[in-house]
Amino acid sequence: MKRPLIAGNWKMNLNRTQAITLAASVAQEAVHWPTVHVALCPPAVYLDVVGQVLRNSPVALGGQNAHWETAGAYTGELSPSMLVDVGCVFVILGHSERRQYFGETDEVVNRKVKAALEAGLRPIVCLGETLQQREADQTQQVIRTQFEGSLADLSLDEIRQVVLAYEPVWAIGTGKVATPQQAEEVHALLRQLLQQRYNEATARAVIIQYGGSVKPENAAELLSQPNVDGALVGGASLKAQDFMRIVAAAHAAVEDA
Ligand code: PGA
């Protein structure tokens, strides 16, 4: 099994002191789990200070969003190079909350992915179906469409820098986690799409995370699925102890593989 990636998506939570404290705890604990790649994605205003806390630790920093332009008159936005400037390695793009509340389409996500790669960031690109789409048996089609659109025109070298995050919308923040079989099915489809467009080795190399109500209690089973290479964790990443239990589960999955 490749080195799993467990990323904490703090969303619009915590204040500055809480962000520093949480980052420090994760940085301190992460040294015990070198088999796992750990990343934290704090709110943009805390990126700089959290980046300082994580410096000299094995924990990587990530943004939650970025613009597709390098600079200019885009009030309120952040460019990928600004994220790099404060120490980001990753950036979450196309999260369902951005698609739902801020109208981000696959085309917009694709522009952002290209800009992020251009700046040297590794985009964590989120895909996933709504409950309505799942119930209408459209999951596979939705995933295919998002894959084609959000990841259009990426070279082989570029796709290897991309992390995919399968996040069924109905599982995000709801406590309703996908069953390991439901997750594995979509992860296997993504692997197949990568293989069809690129090649077998590339398909195997790309990290595909699962996200949506990942908790210490369900992480082990999800992470033991053959095509689940990590987790994008929202709610449970806000408590160091819960988050580190998920990191520990990822370590155990590596050991068992
Ligand atoms: P959740 O969020 O773990 O709180 O469901 C996951 C995400 O949106 O990345």
Side-chain angles (χ1 to χ4, degrees), residues 9 11 95 97 167 171-173 212-214 232-235:
N9 174 11
K11 307 191 180 183
H95 190 281
E97 286 149 17
E167 298 209 307
I172 297 175
S213 296
V214 177
L232 183 54
V233 186

Side-chain angles (χ1 to χ4, degrees), residues 60-254:
L61 186 68
Q64 296 178 13
N65 180 32
H67 198 261
W68 60 80
E69 290 291 347
T70 50
Y74 299 98
T75 302
E77 292 291 324
L78 297 170
S79 75
S81 60
M82 290 171 181
L83 296 183
V84 172
D85 205 14
V86 292
C88 287
V89 171
F90 294 101
V91 61
I92 299 170
L93 294 175
H95 190 281
S96 67
E97 286 149 17
R98 301 236 29 113
R99 293 177 187 260
Q100 186 182 348
Y101 304 126
F102 304 98
E104 291 193 9
T105 60
D106 285 328
E107 194 197 335
V108 166
V109 175
N110 185 236
R111 289 173 77 177
K112 292 182 169 200
V113 169
K114 288 176 180 164
L117 287 164
E118 189 71 27
L121 289 169
R122 297 191 61 187
I124 298 176
V125 183
C126 304
L127 325 147
E129 81 287 359
T130 62
L131 184 60
Q132 204 183 11
Q133 289 165 333
R134 176 161 282 269
E135 286 175 345
D137 217 5
Q138 293 167 346
T139 301
Q140 300 230 342
Q141 194 45 50
V142 169
I143 297 296
R144 270 175 212 278
T145 305
Q146 290 179 342
F147 177 92
E148 296 303 335
S150 302
L151 303 170
D153 307 319
L154 299 189
S155 70
L156 203 124
D157 286 344
E158 286 174 328
I159 198 74
R160 281 175 170 256
Q161 295 305 313
V162 171
V163 173
L164 297 181
Y166 168 52
E167 298 209 307
V169 178
W170 48 271
I172 297 175
T174 58
K176 275 191 222 148
V177 64
T179 64
Q181 293 70 30
Q182 285 172 325
E184 174 60 20
E185 208 172 87
V186 175
H187 283 234
L189 169 65
L190 287 167
R191 198 81 68 194
Q192 188 194 337
L193 293 171
L194 287 164
Q195 189 187 335
Q196 281 164 3
R197 179 151 13 129
Y198 299 96
N199 57 48
E200 169 92 42
T202 303
R204 246 184 291 125
V206 173
I207 298 275
I208 309 178
Q209 295 180 308
Y210 169 80
S213 296
V214 177
K215 308 278 176 235
E217 296 74 29
N218 58 32
E221 215 187 342
L222 287 161
L223 291 163
S224 65
Q225 299 304 304
N227 284 295
V228 176
D229 309 318
L232 183 54
V233 186
S237 71
L238 297 172
K239 286 203 184 115
Q241 210 186 3
D242 287 354
F243 187 61
M244 293 321 295
R245 281 173 67 198
I246 295 169
V247 172
H251 169 78
V254 176

